[in-house]
Amino acid sequence: MPGFIEQIEPLKQSALAEFQASEDLASLEQARVSCLGSNGKFTALLKQLGALPKEEKPLAGKAINSSKVELEAALARRRNELELKAAFPKEPTDFTLPGRRRIVGKLHPLTQVTEDIVRSFRKIGFVVADGPEVEDDYYCFDALNTPADHPARDSQDTFYLSNSTQAGQSSPYLLRTHTSSVQIRVMEKQAPPVRIIVPGRVYRRDNADATHNPTFHQVEGLYVDRNVTVGDLKGTVEFVFRELMGPETQIRFRPHYFSYTEPSFEIDFSSSLTRKIGKQWLEIAGCGMVHPQVFENVGYDSEEWSGWAFGFGIERIAMIRYGINDIRLFYENDQRFLKQF
Ligand code: DAH
């Protein structure tokens, strides 16, 4: 029987060899248990330390402890290697391939333009209001001073919901032709002053072509207070269009007719964008001073209150801004188109 100290080295060597020979974490664990576990060979040797004669103990203790430290370090090193190996791909992998790009979505160009318009109006104290796309005849036309026999209805033919007429409803449901209906809904609910803009979807009985679509988007504006003037209207429109179309944008009002405003105007604008498409002036919006009859319809005193309103198409703004020549591109959801904005 060799002495205590002589037993240490061979035991250590065989344990080191066993650790190194382990090819996976499970067999390494087995090797650890058989050496350093509570019934392990090395542990058994340690237990004999106590039985040694007193004078042999210091040397023997030192030897066995340093071996233990060495074994534990070797075990940890091998465990690291095997963990790394386990995490490695099983198949051959080309680490030089480029990573997979995550595609980040974008807002639709119409949403972007709408948000820009809203942002500009917010700067001057307007709030966003909303109303239903399925409207009735009253809000869309009658309350806006456009009775059933009014010729202005011809240019705004729309889709009627057949069940509302069958049910004998006096004011049939329809898809709203403009966001102007929201003027009425807001004024019915709220006392003046009013300062709203209304972005939203509208419908017309139109055939789709490069500049028309049966559904499109508008922004309506309404300002009601005491002593409001055409000057306020023009200044506001000028501010917003300069924000949208560039600081050198010019605005021009031309007399026009809308049944819910008096006087009424069409707004033309001029900028490098209009000149780019070969035009000095381009018609962009309708507006005017709110007709006294409209105020009376919602219960406002037209002697006390005055105001202006305007409406314009969002697609048209976006088309001019980005140089788009066909409105239908907005609705086709073609990634090649949408990615550009
Ligand atoms: N509703 C009109 C349209 O769809 C646009 C419009 C014109 C709105 C004059 C207004 C306005 O508020 O005062 O063509």
Side-chain angles (χ1 to χ4, degrees), residues 156 177-180 183 204 216 218 220-221 258 260-261 265 285-289 308-312:
Q156 297 207 5
T177 57
H178 51 186
T179 43
S180 306
Q183 289 186 27
R204 302 258 172 113
F216 60 102
Q218 287 188 331
E220 191 81 11
F258 296 104
Y260 30 96
T261 44
F265 310 95
C287 68
M289 302 305 288
W308 50 249
F310 68 82
F312 57 81

Side-chain angles (χ1 to χ4, degrees), residues 65-76:
N65 276 324
S66 75
S67 297
K68 192 176 174 204
V69 168
E70 203 181 319
L71 281 174
E72 275 165 352
L75 190 65

Side-chain angles (χ1 to χ4, degrees), residues 24-100:
D24 54 44
L25 290 163
S27 51
L28 182 66
E29 177 59 11
Q30 265 175 27
R32 184 194 69 82
V33 170
S34 86
C35 173
L36 294 167
S38 51
N39 296 316
K41 290 177 235 147
F42 204 82
T43 313
L45 197 60
L46 260 171
K47 285 177 186 160
Q48 293 170 28
L49 191 64
L52 286 183
K54 209 172 161 211
E55 57 286 4
E56 285 180 29
K57 263 189 199 165
L59 206 62
K62 220 172 157 183
I64 197 158
N65 276 324
S66 75
S67 297
K68 192 176 174 204
V69 168
E70 203 181 319
L71 281 174
E72 275 165 352
L75 190 65
R77 207 180 319 115
R78 187 64 185 153
R79 185 177 291 128
N80 263 339
E81 284 170 11
L82 292 176
E83 273 171 1
L84 199 62
K85 194 174 137 197
F88 246 56
K90 308 276 171 288
E91 311 269 288
T93 302
D94 181 356
F95 291 103
T96 68
L97 283 175
R100 241 170 248 145

Side-chain angles (χ1 to χ4, degrees), residues 199-221:
R201 187 170 188 169
V202 301
Y203 303 81
R204 302 258 172 113
R205 217 202 79 178
D206 272 337
N207 291 319
D209 62 24
T211 53
H212 296 85
N213 199 63
T215 174
F216 60 102
H217 299 79
Q218 287 188 331
V219 174
E220 191 81 11

Side-chain angles (χ1 to χ4, degrees), residues 16 35 42 51 53 55 96 130-131 148 152 206 210 241 258 260 275 282 293 297 319 338:
L16 287 176
C35 173
F42 204 82
E55 57 286 4
T96 68
D130 200 4
D206 272 337
F241 276 91
F258 296 104
Y260 30 96
R275 288 189 289 280
L282 211 60
Q293 186 59 53
N297 292 345
M319 286 171 81
L338 296 173

